[in-house]
Amino acid sequence: MSAIVDYLSVTFRPTGDPRVFLQSILGLFLGDALAASVQDTGHGRFGYAHCLEIPGLGLCMYGGNAGTVHISLTGTGCAAVRDWDLIADTIEEQAAKITRIDLAHDDFEGTHPVQWCRDQYHDGGFDPSRGPAPKARYISDEGSGSGCTFYTGSRASFQLRAYEKGKQLGDPSSPWVRYEGEWHADNHRELTPDMIRNPGQYLAGKYPCLAWINPAEQSAVRTVIAIGKATVEKTLDHARKQAGRALHMALRLTGGDLGAVFEWLHVPELPKRCLALLAAVDLSDTDRPPAFWRHAHPSDRAAFHQALRAPLLA
């Protein structure tokens, strides 16, 4: 596979109790444990009376809009999906409507950098077979190392983003560039389940200059490794900055009694940003692990476990 699904919004039209239907669909998407973790936000959204949060992974809504229910999964939520083919089949069987889908390819070595996109744009690489060229814009980090971004198209229908993902995640020397296409359905455009089955084909086929994407290999587990490692590093760095001196003070006041300090400071809950990550990569369901895990090479699986622990062992 040469691309991954990185965001998905789907509207269903259930025939029975919408809340029961949602639980059933979420079970198919994410597994029963995550389906049971939804929390009522206490308010509606997008014309729906009820909005439920799948903690850190997405939202689902019901009550209104002609009796439909709506599910949106973030990039982390998509990493938790158990079986993409099953989801595509379910959308077809239920005659559901995909309202938004993002497809992404990670160029980890940076063989097609952001500047390459700018050059291609001016050389006609983004020109369609007919009609005017899409509008484009470029955001520079002015050498700060936080990452540059190239945009073309419009979010109202289709937009391509090429950005320095590794730098965005905090590594100013990273060559990693992500190509991300965002599609929205409208009255003239239907987003089909085939986009879920063949994401690389659709992303590569959007512009002539992106043809290199489809033969390329996309390692979903490598993406999860990189994002997971950066998330853990950021969380620990934030904790060190916020509590490091307080911890030192507490150790001095207790004569170095680490056990007492730990008992006082320890909160047996996960940070929200890590809660979503660890939920997405929960491998305890051996019958239905996340899709990225089932297709991972054994060496990638070993690297995954090492990467999440690496910030603690550095």
Side-chain angles (χ1 to χ4, degrees):
M1 188 170 288
S2 53
I4 58 174
V5 180
D6 195 56
Y7 193 99
L8 182 67
S9 289
V10 187
T11 300
F12 294 88
R13 192 176 296 278
T15 54
D17 186 313
R19 183 66 185 261
V20 173
F21 178 84
L22 269 177
Q23 288 293 127
S24 174
I25 290 294
L26 287 176
L28 286 177
F29 276 39
L30 304 173
D32 292 338
L34 288 179
S37 72
V38 295
Q39 301 170 359
D40 198 326
T41 63
H43 55 77
R45 192 167 184 176
F46 301 137
Y48 291 96
H50 306 282
C51 178
L52 310 175
E53 182 185 11
I54 318 162
L57 305 180
L59 298 171
C60 42
M61 290 150 270
Y62 70 98
N65 287 329
T68 60
V69 301
H70 186 77
I71 298 174
S72 289
L73 297 179
T74 64
T76 307
C78 288
V81 164
R82 267 40 191 172
D83 188 330
W84 282 112
D85 287 335
L86 179 59
I87 286 181
D89 292 345
T90 301
I91 290 171
E92 284 183 338
E93 291 165 3
Q94 294 284 336
K97 180 180 180 181
I98 299 174
T99 58
R100 173 183 167 182
I101 187 170
D102 292 10
L103 307 176
H105 175 82
D106 290 302
D107 179 7
F108 289 105
E109 282 69 44
T111 54
H112 295 80
V114 172
Q115 182 58 45
W116 178 86
C117 288
R118 301 183 71 201
D119 295 339
Q120 283 293 315
Y121 182 81
H122 293 293
D123 291 342
F126 288 93
D127 290 355
S129 57
R130 65 172 184 264
K135 293 182 179 180
R137 62 192 175 102
Y138 170 70
I139 298 178
S140 172
D141 67 359
E142 298 299 341
S144 68
S146 60
C148 303
T149 305
F150 171 84
Y151 297 90
T152 184
S154 166
R155 289 195 71 190
S157 53
F158 173 81
Q159 182 179 77
L160 176 77
R161 296 180 290 275
Y163 61 101
E164 295 174 316
K165 181 72 173 179
K167 293 181 179 178
Q168 180 209 54
L169 290 174
D171 181 357
S173 64
S174 173
W176 177 11
V177 177
R178 167 166 281 201
Y179 283 77
E180 201 168 80
E182 177 181 334
W183 283 261
H184 288 263
D186 57 30
N187 293 332
H188 309 289
R189 180 186 297 102
E190 179 183 354
L191 305 178
T192 73
D194 194 52
M195 299 177 76
I196 294 173
R197 298 188 182 101
N198 300 290
Q201 178 181 323
Y202 282 86
L203 184 59
K206 189 60 185 178
Y207 294 119
C209 67
L210 299 183
W212 62 272
I213 288 177
N214 198 33
E217 188 63 31
Q218 168 73 40
S219 172
V221 71
R222 189 174 176 185
T223 299
V224 174
I225 286 171
I227 293 175
K229 185 172 181 289
T231 300
V232 173
E233 284 177 343
K234 280 186 177 180
T235 302
L236 292 175
D237 186 57
H238 178 73
R240 183 169 59 84
K241 290 176 179 177
Q242 293 296 316
R245 291 182 176 85
L247 176 61
H248 181 67
M249 176 193 70
L251 285 171
R252 289 192 62 177
L253 292 174
T254 59
D257 188 343
L258 187 59
V261 173
F262 177 81
E263 185 177 353
W264 186 76
L265 287 177
H266 178 235
V267 179
E269 297 175 6
L270 289 167
K272 190 167 184 178
R273 68 168 71 178
C274 290
L275 177 66
L277 167 71
L278 295 176
V281 301
D282 179 13
L283 307 175
S284 60
D285 186 349
T286 54
D287 293 328
R288 295 186 68 213
F292 80 87
W293 190 254
R294 287 188 288 108
H295 300 295
H297 188 274
S299 62
D300 286 333
R301 295 185 179 190
F304 168 78
H305 291 295
Q306 292 170 5
L308 293 190
R309 294 183 178 92
L312 288 167
L313 303 176

